[in-house]
Amino acid sequence: MTDYNAMEIMISVAARELENGATVGVGTGAPCAAAMLAQKTSAPDLVIMFEAGGISPNLPEMPISVGDSRTFYKAAMAGSMNDIMEACSRGFVDYTFLGGAQIDMYGNLNSTVIGNHANPKVRFPGSGGANDFASFCWRMMVMTPQDSRRFVEKLDFLTTPGWLQGGDSRANSGLPLDSGPYKIITNMAIMDFEPVSKRMRVISIHPGYSAKDVQDNCSFELLQAAAIAQTMPPTAEELRLLREEIDPYRYVIGR
Amino acid sequence: MTDYNAMEIMISVAARELENGATVGVGTGAPCAAAMLAQKTSAPDLVIMFEAGGISPNLPEMPISVGDSRTFYKAAMAGSMNDIMEACSRGFVDYTFLGGAQIDMYGNLNSTVIGNHANPKVRFPGSGGANDFASFCWRMMVMTPQDSRRFVEKLDFLTTPGWLQGGDSRANSGLPLDSGPYKIITNMAIMDFEPVSKRMRVISIHPGYSAKDVQDNCSFELLQAAAIAQTMPPTAEELRLLREEIDPYRYVIGR
Amino acid sequence: MNIIDQGQGELFLDPDPDKARAFFRTKNRKLVNKVMDLKEAVAKFVQDGDYLAIGGFGANRTPIAACHEIVRQKKKNLGFAGHTSTHDMEILSAGEVYNRIDVAYIIGLEARGLSTCSRRYMESGKVKVTEWTNYSLAARLRAAAMGVPFVPTRNVMGTDTIKYSAAKTVECPFTGKKVVLMPALYPDVSVIHVHEADIFGNARFKGIAVADVDLANASKKLIITTEKLITSDEIRRDPSSTRIPYFLVDAVCEVPFGAYPGNMPYEYFSDEAHLREWLSVEKDAEKFKAFLDKNIYGCNNHEEYIARNGGAEKMRELRAKELLLSKEVSS
Amino acid sequence: MNIIDQGQGELFLDPDPDKARAFFRTKNRKLVNKVMDLKEAVAKFVQDGDYLAIGGFGANRTPIAACHEIVRQKKKNLGFAGHTSTHDMEILSAGEVYNRIDVAYIIGLEARGLSTCSRRYMESGKVKVTEWTNYSLAARLRAAAMGVPFVPTRNVMGTDTIKYSAAKTVECPFTGKKVVLMPALYPDVSVIHVHEADIFGNARFKGIAVADVDLANASKKLIITTEKLITSDEIRRDPSSTRIPYFLVDAVCEVPFGAYPGNMPYEYFSDEAHLREWLSVEKDAEKFKAFLDKNIYGCNNHEEYIARNGGAEKMRELRAKELLLSKEVSS
């Protein structure tokens, strides 16, 4: 069996979710690596967009910032933040990848504070473009380590909308119709959301982990799909691309 | 006495109203000629803007269209219609010149229909940018022949706002505060608006015309300023500039 | 929202952003070759009954070739955005291709005078009319481009222009001031003429933008006519110059002099003699029919139209006029 | 308007467009020479208590020299638009120049990690906070640029982000759907860094615009820092390239490498080693004080700062990195 680390399987799994010809709004790090891997494997025509204005660049290397020169290197267009956000708002962007300090069973995210807002225990960056992407893009995905302190019963602050309180709550919220969380990808498993309750549901578990491992590292009860698949590990080619072409200095995949 | 025609005195008088360093939103024809004359006389730093996007051009000749190449020839910026209209909306544009098929005692203009809207006797172009300029620019001026069929008691259609029904009606309308009609310039006289009633008022009469001439060619009662001036006719230099530099083919000033 | 005032005019298009999103979700985002003949593009993307918008500014960087083709293909019952429309409207009126119109500026050709043909059609009772202004329609396109059902403006209040529009006046919850809400306008199909585009639809133009960037974003289907095709490498060499990204575009048609007899900035000036001929011949029904047969119905394409109106020599003249070469000679 | 939901956050600026108009009416529209030293521009146009916005995107085409000067002049009690702020905020936090902030993205330097200095100041209780998002603040600038009190958006609904904002949710009178109204944001003063500007303030930049065009339009006072001055003839030779027209601008300051240690597209890449030094030295109060004395308080201007961090040789390296010259060598 090929040797790989947690970040490598998360990125490989995420890349496989992106079909050819789709549009994806990405940030720096793992999401960008996943999009680049998809372009080099199953989705050569994947269109990458960066919130600061870069549209369909030919990324020469991984950007350090979603606004640095690489994000519009040989791009179709170097536009504005409004060009990107309005394209998302109009329904032109299919996918986005987000993260956060906390996530709940409905895929809502917290990247604002731990503790109360007035005088927080810990202050985080805030929404940035996360709330916008999660509100506008058709399918929001999350890549995050499986950890009980991240997968919480209740968020300290609901920064970014998932399925809100589940059921019809998002459909009734005023957010664009039919948009919402799609897949949650961790170092242990892949989760989706049960269509009616909109609760997080395990659909695939990575080699070396059990259903118990996944639940033990989550503070809320995870639903289980009727048939739970075993995740295909990163292929030798996926690993080669990640290690040699996409992230040669291992900024993202680590050592 | 220098010989001049009606258009030449209207343009000369209009040009004198534009102080140096002001911004003016103009259309083609007489308004543009007035702005160009002002630039060549008392207002070298007058900034001309065209609704299609031209900002501060060095006009090589009179434009045929407010969107033709001349309107952004050696301009500071070739922008968009929104760049211009939003600058007006934000209060960056001091003056505009408009016209119309009908004008009433409050300086409201009709450029839409004669007869009723459902099946008009005559259909005109509509607002174009006139309503926008009159709503947003600080001071709206009109250049039009003095004629009872133009200066009417009641407009068939109120296309473009003047002082609306007079008094406080414009201040209460929701239109930007402190903007409104400023001067009406005809072949016979100059009119302003009485500050309280906002009714049209004669303040200056051109050489060769009487107060009676002015009133006889207006269907509503004109107020009279306490002291009515006699308009200074076009100077030899103004006429030279108009005839030789600005409108050599006499498209606007005629023969 | 408490509606203080609202226009009684008909709203020809649904401003619902979720319906627009459902449509845009289906648009192809792949980099595929979209080059086709203008005839094919108009046949494929301009359907009878569609709501049509035309880029540029009347007779400036306006896709005149496309207007001719729409008339030649005898499209019917179109809606039309009468936004700074001048010679484009004159052509579409000659073909009577539209039966409803959002009016900002119509009939006139600015300093050139009024079109008898456009006026006759507008006075015929065959056309439903809603009144707007140049900025109001630009704002409606902006709302659509933003993916929201409206944007607020501060014009038209207190006038008949709002009374015969479909705008609504409400009170701003932040300031207590009245503002007008302009409903989003998502045209079914638009045509924009540019200087340069690649085969995927990435497009550039020089000079004023008018409302074309918002129009491109707002349109459900978009046909680009371009003076010339350029390589995608050239587009990607200077992505800051791209005004319209490829994923908005359905067809790319290479049409040299595609804005003739209008003005194409930096390329050719308007043919004022020919535009005057249009305005005068319209006054005589017989002459006008013959004129249309010669210049539209009797032409296979824009190239033939140009050939019948001076051809290459005329284009050279108009280029010299655009560049003001005479001033260099005389100086 | 019936308000369905509204944030409890403080609105730091008045969105009233008539008050903004009254101010903009007084701005000089003449073509006058606005070139001045950055020191003078900051002294003259950045007043204690002003609400400040910084152009660019954190460490990309960001006026870092101006941020240093604002700290060097010990400005106090500023409001700050924490819009995609990263290294700019890190600098301003080091000087504790602001006491209220509209948050979209703060504290972090994206992939580089979080700023201890920014976080410490944000957790100190000295700063009033209202929550927004990147698009929400961009939309607020757009509303100001349009001269209206708000624009609608469809984000943030159902979240705590709106609860701690000053936005309001209303029902759209056209569609019955909920929309969020984002109040106009007219910063008292903004600084934008560009590639080229003339002495009057006509400015150009290359690469992504971020929100700088709306920011320029929305700002009451605007300082432009430019890599280099160019002639007005050059601006007017290509008016399509002007992004910021002169009448918006109060001061033009020529500051080569003005975005260092950030990235200036097509000119120089970010100095990642120096940015890492910032992030690490912040963790030790003593070291940080010395670091700030060396790099900000002890420098007269940006040129001295650059001289202390590698000077011309470093700038050559960063240019080579920006242009990816190594890939050409290796290929």
Side-chain angles (χ1 to χ4, degrees):
Chain A
M1 159 205 171
T2 333
D3 197 25
Y4 58 85
N5 67 27
M7 193 55 84
E8 288 170 334
I9 191 170
M10 285 201 287
I11 294 170
S12 300
V13 165
R16 297 172 196 154
E17 294 289 343
L18 299 167
E19 75 265 19
N20 198 27
T23 42
V24 59
V26 303
T28 52
C32 188
M36 290 169 81
L37 180 58
Q39 284 183 324
K40 290 169 184 288
T41 53
S42 55
D45 288 339
L46 179 71
V47 179
I48 297 178
M49 297 188 182
F50 291 95
E51 69 190 77
I55 298 174
S56 187
N58 290 334
L59 290 169
E61 61 187 27
M62 252 193 295
I64 296 167
S65 160
V66 295
D68 75 31
S69 296
R70 308 320 184 211
T71 63
F72 50 93
Y73 182 78
K74 295 187 180 173
M77 178 167 166
S80 68
M81 175 171 283
N82 279 340
D83 288 330
I84 301 300
M85 291 303 184
E86 292 172 10
C88 294
S89 182
R90 289 199 311 283
F92 273 97
V93 183
D94 302 311
Y95 295 97
T96 188
F97 287 107
L98 301 173
Q102 297 178 322
I103 182 169
D104 70 14
M105 72 172 69
Y106 301 112
N108 302 301
L109 296 164
N110 173 19
S111 60
T112 303
V113 291
I114 298 295
N116 73 56
H117 187 263
N119 38 36
K121 256 201 242 60
V122 187
R123 174 74 217 197
F124 292 111
S127 162
N131 182 298
D132 309 317
F133 276 150
S135 297
F136 298 150
C137 299
W138 291 105
R139 292 172 159 183
M140 182 264 272
M141 294 194 272
V142 173
M143 294 163 75
T144 185
Q146 185 92 35
D147 174 338
S148 317
R149 280 156 312 154
R150 275 180 191 275
F151 287 73
V152 297
E153 196 65 46
K154 187 171 182 343
L155 303 175
D156 287 48
F157 191 98
L158 201 172
T159 308
T160 295
W163 293 113
L164 298 176
Q165 290 72 49
D168 298 336
S169 59
R170 180 168 174 133
N172 298 331
S173 67
L175 294 173
L177 295 179
D178 303 325
S179 61
Y182 177 60
K183 298 274 175 79
I184 310 297
I185 297 159
T186 76
N187 54 316
M188 297 184 186
I190 307 174
M191 275 115 7
D192 72 353
F193 295 86
E194 187 280 318
V196 177
S197 68
K198 301 292 199 297
R199 279 181 55 186
M200 204 180 288
R201 175 175 72 178
V202 179
I203 57 172
S204 182
I205 297 177
H206 304 345
Y209 293 101
S210 68
K212 182 171 185 312
D213 295 326
V214 179
Q215 183 60 75
D216 288 350
N217 288 279
C218 178
S219 299
F220 53 82
E221 186 202 353
L222 288 162
L223 301 180
Q224 308 292 321
I228 294 181
Q230 191 188 66
T231 311
M232 183 178 87
T235 65
E237 176 60 4
E238 286 168 337
L239 291 171
R240 187 192 66 76
L241 290 165
L242 273 174
R243 295 167 182 178
E244 293 174 21
E245 296 186 15
I246 296 166
D247 189 21
Y249 303 105
R250 295 174 163 271
Y251 293 127
V252 175
I253 60 179
R255 307 206 169 272
Chain B
M1 158 204 173
T2 333
D3 198 27
Y4 57 84
N5 67 28
M7 193 55 84
E8 288 169 333
I9 191 171
M10 285 200 285
I11 293 169
S12 300
V13 166
R16 296 171 197 156
E17 294 289 342
L18 299 168
E19 73 266 19
N20 197 27
T23 41
V24 58
V26 303
T28 52
C32 189
M36 290 170 81
L37 181 59
Q39 284 183 324
K40 291 171 184 287
T41 52
S42 54
D45 288 340
L46 178 72
V47 179
I48 297 178
M49 297 187 180
F50 291 95
E51 70 190 78
I55 298 175
S56 188
N58 291 334
L59 290 169
E61 60 186 27
M62 248 192 298
I64 296 167
S65 161
V66 295
D68 75 32
S69 296
R70 308 317 184 214
T71 63
F72 51 93
Y73 182 78
K74 294 186 180 173
M77 178 167 166
S80 67
M81 174 172 282
N82 279 340
D83 288 329
I84 302 301
M85 290 303 184
E86 291 172 10
C88 295
S89 182
R90 289 199 311 283
F92 272 97
V93 183
D94 302 311
Y95 294 97
T96 189
F97 285 106
L98 301 173
Q102 297 177 322
I103 182 168
D104 70 13
M105 72 171 70
Y106 301 113
N108 301 301
L109 296 165
N110 172 19
S111 59
T112 302
V113 291
I114 299 294
N116 74 58
H117 187 263
N119 39 36
K121 250 199 247 67
V122 187
R123 174 74 216 197
F124 293 111
S127 161
N131 182 300
D132 310 316
F133 275 150
S135 296
F136 297 149
C137 298
W138 291 104
R139 292 173 159 182
M140 181 265 273
M141 294 195 271
V142 173
M143 278 196 258
T144 185
Q146 185 91 37
D147 174 338
S148 312
R149 279 155 312 157
R150 275 178 192 277
F151 287 73
V152 297
E153 195 64 46
K154 186 167 185 344
L155 302 176
D156 288 48
F157 192 97
L158 201 172
T159 308
T160 295
W163 292 113
L164 297 177
Q165 290 73 47
D168 298 336
S169 58
R170 181 169 174 133
N172 298 329
S173 68
L175 294 173
L177 295 179
D178 303 325
S179 61
Y182 177 59
K183 298 277 175 78
I184 308 297
I185 297 159
T186 75
N187 53 316
M188 297 183 185
I190 307 173
M191 273 88 58
D192 73 353
F193 294 85
E194 189 279 318
V196 177
S197 67
K198 301 292 200 295
R199 277 181 55 185
M200 203 180 289
R201 175 174 73 177
V202 179
I203 57 171
S204 183
I205 297 176
H206 303 344
Y209 293 102
S210 68
K212 183 172 184 309
D213 294 327
V214 179
Q215 182 61 75
D216 287 351
N217 289 280
C218 178
S219 299
F220 53 82
E221 187 202 354
L222 287 162
L223 300 180
Q224 308 294 320
I228 294 182
Q230 192 189 67
T231 311
M232 183 178 86
T235 65
E237 176 61 4
E238 285 169 335
L239 291 171
R240 188 191 66 75
L241 290 166
L242 274 174
R243 295 168 183 178
E244 291 174 21
E245 296 186 15
I246 296 166
D247 189 20
Y249 303 105
R250 297 175 159 271
Y251 292 128
V252 176
I253 58 179
R255 307 210 167 268
Chain C
M1 302 218 269
N2 298 358
I3 293 158
I4 296 169
D5 182 23
Q6 62 185 316
Q8 59 187 236
E10 183 176 349
L11 188 56
F12 298 123
L13 291 169
D14 189 338
D16 183 340
D18 283 311
K19 290 185 187 144
R21 280 174 59 88
F23 178 89
F24 288 132
R25 186 176 195 173
T26 66
K27 272 193 94 151
N28 180 10
R29 293 98 158 87
K30 275 189 193 165
L31 286 158
V32 294
N33 181 359
K34 297 167 186 168
V35 174
M36 62 185 79
D37 186 82
L38 180 57
K39 207 180 252 18
E40 181 187 354
V42 168
K44 199 164 165 188
F45 296 111
V46 182
Q47 301 306 320
D48 288 349
D50 276 356
Y51 185 102
L52 170 72
I54 296 294
F57 191 93
N60 306 288
R61 202 172 47 70
T62 305
I64 298 300
C67 295
H68 281 208
E69 188 57 37
I70 287 165
V71 167
R72 201 154 34 229
Q73 291 190 21
K74 299 193 157 49
K75 299 295 181 182
K76 283 282 165 259
N77 306 321
L78 301 178
F80 181 55
H83 190 216
T84 71
S85 60
T86 68
H87 184 53
D88 47 351
M89 183 199 196
E90 188 177 21
I91 296 162
L92 297 172
S93 300
E96 300 197 351
V97 298
Y98 62 91
N99 63 8
R100 60 201 186 280
I101 187 167
D102 283 313
V103 169
Y105 180 91
I106 59 168
I107 292 180
L109 270 76
E110 300 187 82
R112 303 176 188 98
L114 300 181
S115 161
T116 311
C117 161
S118 293
R119 172 173 266 174
R120 192 187 303 117
Y121 189 50
M122 287 303 299
E123 294 173 354
S124 69
K126 296 178 188 168
V127 185
K128 288 195 290 184
V129 179
T130 304
E131 300 289 337
W132 305 90
T133 73
N134 276 349
Y135 182 54
S136 300
L137 285 190
R140 293 185 61 195
L141 294 171
R142 167 66 60 84
M146 291 171 70
V148 291
F150 62 82
V151 294
T153 66
R154 304 187 70 205
N155 58 346
V156 304
M157 289 179 275
T159 68
D160 292 331
T161 304
I162 189 171
K163 189 172 164 204
Y164 289 87
S165 78
K168 299 177 190 288
T169 306
V170 300
E171 184 183 291
C172 167
F174 296 99
T175 62
K177 291 172 186 284
K178 292 180 202 161
V179 294
V180 179
L181 306 186
M182 296 292 176
L185 193 166
Y186 295 94
D188 293 310
V189 59
S190 298
V191 191
I192 296 174
H193 188 63
V194 302
H195 293 81
E196 302 175 322
D198 70 10
I199 64 170
F200 308 115
N202 292 299
R204 303 170 169 180
F205 55 80
K206 284 168 284 179
I208 54 174
V210 196
D212 287 358
V213 173
D214 284 323
L215 177 59
N217 284 320
S219 300
K220 289 185 171 174
K221 297 176 285 182
L222 178 58
I223 298 170
I224 294 293
T225 64
T226 180
E227 287 289 319
K228 61 180 184 208
L229 287 167
I230 60 172
T231 64
S232 196
D233 283 353
E234 170 54 22
I235 287 284
R236 289 175 178 274
R237 182 194 61 76
D238 183 20
S240 313
S241 294
T242 305
R243 302 289 194 105
I244 298 171
Y246 75 94
F247 57 83
L248 303 177
V249 176
D250 295 282
V252 179
C253 309
E254 190 174 29
V255 186
F257 306 104
Y260 173 85
N263 168 214
M264 189 65 179
Y266 307 104
E267 298 296 329
Y268 45 93
F269 201 69
S270 46
D271 184 348
E272 291 303 316
H274 186 61
L275 288 170
R276 271 197 305 277
E277 188 186 358
W278 261 92
L279 289 175
S280 68
V281 78
E282 285 174 350
K283 299 183 177 115
D284 178 321
E286 279 313 300
K287 281 202 194 116
F288 191 40
K289 191 187 170 307
F291 179 86
L292 293 176
D293 287 340
K294 172 193 167 194
N295 289 302
I296 298 181
Y297 299 110
C299 294
N300 271 308
N301 54 38
H302 202 60
E303 196 176 348
E304 283 187 28
Y305 170 55
I306 287 168
R308 293 177 184 199
N309 289 280
E313 182 50 34
K314 170 65 67 62
M315 297 306 116
R316 269 192 294 277
E317 274 169 40
L318 296 176
R319 177 169 179 80
K321 193 173 175 197
E322 170 65 14
L323 300 181
L324 294 160
L325 296 185
S326 60
K327 289 183 190 282
E328 296 185 6
V329 174
S330 63
S331 68
Chain D
M1 300 217 272
N2 298 358
I3 294 157
I4 296 168
D5 183 24
Q6 64 185 315
Q8 59 187 237
E10 183 175 349
L11 190 56
F12 297 124
L13 291 169
D14 189 338
D16 182 341
D18 284 310
K19 290 182 186 145
R21 281 174 58 90
F23 178 89
F24 288 132
R25 187 176 195 173
T26 66
K27 273 193 96 149
N28 181 10
R29 294 99 158 87
K30 275 190 195 165
L31 286 158
V32 293
N33 181 359
K34 297 167 186 168
V35 175
M36 63 184 79
D37 186 81
L38 180 57
K39 209 180 256 2
E40 180 189 354
V42 168
K44 200 164 164 186
F45 296 112
V46 183
Q47 302 306 319
D48 288 351
D50 276 356
Y51 186 103
L52 170 72
I54 296 295
F57 192 93
N60 307 288
R61 202 171 46 72
T62 305
I64 299 300
C67 295
H68 281 209
E69 188 57 37
I70 287 164
V71 167
R72 201 152 37 228
Q73 291 190 23
K74 299 192 156 48
K75 299 296 180 182
K76 283 281 163 259
N77 306 321
L78 301 178
F80 181 55
H83 189 215
T84 70
S85 60
T86 67
H87 185 54
D88 46 351
M89 184 201 195
E90 188 177 21
I91 296 162
L92 298 171
S93 300
E96 299 196 352
V97 297
Y98 61 90
N99 64 7
R100 58 201 188 279
I101 186 166
D102 284 312
V103 169
Y105 180 92
I106 59 169
I107 292 179
L109 270 76
E110 302 186 79
R112 304 175 188 97
L114 300 182
S115 161
T116 310
C117 161
S118 293
R119 173 174 265 175
R120 194 188 301 118
Y121 189 49
M122 287 303 299
E123 293 172 354
S124 69
K126 295 178 188 170
V127 185
K128 288 195 289 185
V129 179
T130 304
E131 300 288 338
W132 305 90
T133 73
N134 276 348
Y135 182 55
S136 300
L137 285 189
R140 294 185 60 196
L141 294 171
R142 167 65 60 84
M146 290 171 71
V148 292
F150 63 82
V151 295
T153 67
R154 305 187 69 205
N155 59 347
V156 304
M157 289 179 276
T159 68
D160 291 332
T161 304
I162 188 171
K163 189 171 163 203
Y164 289 88
S165 78
K168 299 176 189 289
T169 305
V170 300
E171 184 184 292
C172 167
F174 296 99
T175 62
K177 291 172 186 282
K178 292 179 200 161
V179 293
V180 179
L181 305 186
M182 296 293 176
L185 193 164
Y186 295 95
D188 293 311
V189 60
S190 298
V191 191
I192 296 173
H193 188 63
V194 302
H195 292 83
E196 302 175 323
D198 70 11
I199 65 171
F200 308 114
N202 292 301
R204 303 172 170 178
F205 55 79
K206 284 168 284 182
I208 53 173
V210 196
D212 288 359
V213 172
D214 284 323
L215 178 60
N217 284 320
S219 301
K220 289 185 171 173
K221 297 175 287 181
L222 178 58
I223 298 170
I224 294 293
T225 64
T226 181
E227 287 290 318
K228 60 178 184 210
L229 287 166
I230 60 172
T231 64
S232 196
D233 282 354
E234 170 55 23
I235 288 283
R236 290 175 179 273
R237 184 195 60 76
D238 183 20
S240 314
S241 293
T242 306
R243 301 291 194 104
I244 298 171
Y246 75 95
F247 58 82
L248 303 176
V249 177
D250 295 282
V252 180
C253 310
E254 190 173 29
V255 186
F257 306 105
Y260 173 86
N263 168 214
M264 188 66 179
Y266 306 105
E267 297 297 328
Y268 45 92
F269 201 69
S270 46
D271 184 348
E272 290 304 315
H274 186 61
L275 289 170
R276 271 198 306 276
E277 189 185 358
W278 262 91
L279 289 174
S280 68
V281 76
E282 284 175 350
K283 297 177 178 127
D284 178 320
E286 280 312 299
K287 283 205 193 113
F288 191 40
K289 189 186 169 313
F291 179 85
L292 293 175
D293 288 339
K294 172 192 166 195
N295 289 303
I296 297 181
Y297 298 111
C299 293
N300 271 307
N301 54 39
H302 202 61
E303 195 175 348
E304 283 186 29
Y305 171 55
I306 287 167
R308 293 176 184 199
N309 290 281
E313 182 51 35
K314 169 66 66 65
M315 297 306 115
R316 271 193 293 278
E317 274 170 38
L318 296 176
R319 178 170 179 78
K321 193 172 175 199
E322 170 66 12
L323 300 181
L324 294 161
L325 296 184
S326 61
K327 289 184 189 281
E328 296 185 6
V329 175
S330 63
S331 67

